[in-house]
Amino acid sequence: MALLPILRYPDPRLKTVADAIASFDYNIKKLAEDMLETMYAAPGIGLAATQVNIHKRLIVMDISETKNNPIVMANPRIISHSGILTTEEGCLSVPGIYDSVERFEHINVRFQDVEGETHFLDAEGLLAVCIQHEIDHLAGRVFVDYLSRLKQGRIKSKLLKQARITA
Ligand code: K1U
Ligand code: ZN
């Protein structure tokens, strides 16, 4: 297993739209394992392949307190949704920044596992929020894109300044 470097906002590579996974080979299983290891180490509750500069439709999550309930989704798609909730979100690519975002409260997601088998999952609450946050990454969106231009500018300056200090 390997820890993968996580891209930081406003890195333009975070805007890349991911490609569908067509071949479920060893490389996809290895990528899923490395992404889980990277997510647990960060620590976080989710990670999208886009964040580790791999532009394939793969996301991993674990919202359990015990950190022993990994979820891996290839080619995830929201099939239906209902309700709206507003929660505070963070992002491993936007360290130290948290803000409120509106999401669907309940979603039904179609996805494939690392063997290419298709599944459907009903999710609500934090898991639903996390899945939507990760699917956004695959579309080249970060949660900051939902905030005002003023907040986006402040966040960009803060993170660019931090990057210069640590370089
Ligand atoms: O995609 C990511 O950047 C991961 C992100 C997922 C997420 C968090 C909150 C709402 C929606 C999606 C994170 O994991 S940020 C870190 C975080 O939330 C966390 C870290 C340690 C313990 C518990 C939570
Ligand atoms: Zn994120």
Side-chain angles (χ1 to χ4, degrees), residues 46-48 51 89-94 133-134 137 141-143:
L47 190 70
Q51 293 176 277
E89 295 191 17
C91 181
L92 298 176
S93 296
V94 194
H133 178 113
E134 302 312 333
H137 276 303
R141 282 190 294 270
V142 291
F143 83 96

Side-chain angles (χ1 to χ4, degrees), residues 28-52:
I28 293 299
K29 293 186 182 72
K30 168 92 171 84
L31 175 58
E33 281 176 10
D34 289 347
M35 284 173 58
L36 281 168
E37 188 185 6
T38 303
M39 177 194 77
Y40 286 126
I45 56 170
L47 190 70
T50 309
Q51 293 176 277
V52 293

Side-chain angles (χ1 to χ4, degrees), residues 37-89:
E37 188 185 6
T38 303
M39 177 194 77
Y40 286 126
I45 56 170
L47 190 70
T50 309
Q51 293 176 277
V52 293
N53 200 27
I54 295 178
H55 302 289
K56 293 180 196 296
R57 291 187 63 81
L58 187 70
I59 63 176
V60 300
M61 289 154 291
D62 189 342
I63 62 157
S64 71
E65 284 192 2
T66 44
K67 299 291 161 212
N68 62 355
N69 192 16
I71 300 173
V72 176
M73 294 185 175
N75 299 326
R77 289 275 175 210
I78 296 173
I79 302 304
S80 63
H81 58 79
S82 64
I84 299 282
L85 87 172
T86 304
T87 51
E88 185 116 312
E89 295 191 17

Side-chain angles (χ1 to χ4, degrees), residues 6-9 14 42-48 50-52 88-99 101 103 130 133-134 136-137 141-145 147 155 159 162:
I6 298 175
L7 298 178
R8 290 201 170 192
Y9 182 84
L14 286 168
I45 56 170
L47 190 70
T50 309
Q51 293 176 277
V52 293
E88 185 116 312
E89 295 191 17
C91 181
L92 298 176
S93 296
V94 194
I97 307 290
Y98 298 87
D99 214 321
V101 178
R103 300 283 188 184
C130 194
H133 178 113
E134 302 312 333
D136 265 358
H137 276 303
R141 282 190 294 270
V142 291
F143 83 96
V144 173
D145 298 343
L147 307 180
I155 293 167
L159 294 186
Q162 276 175 9

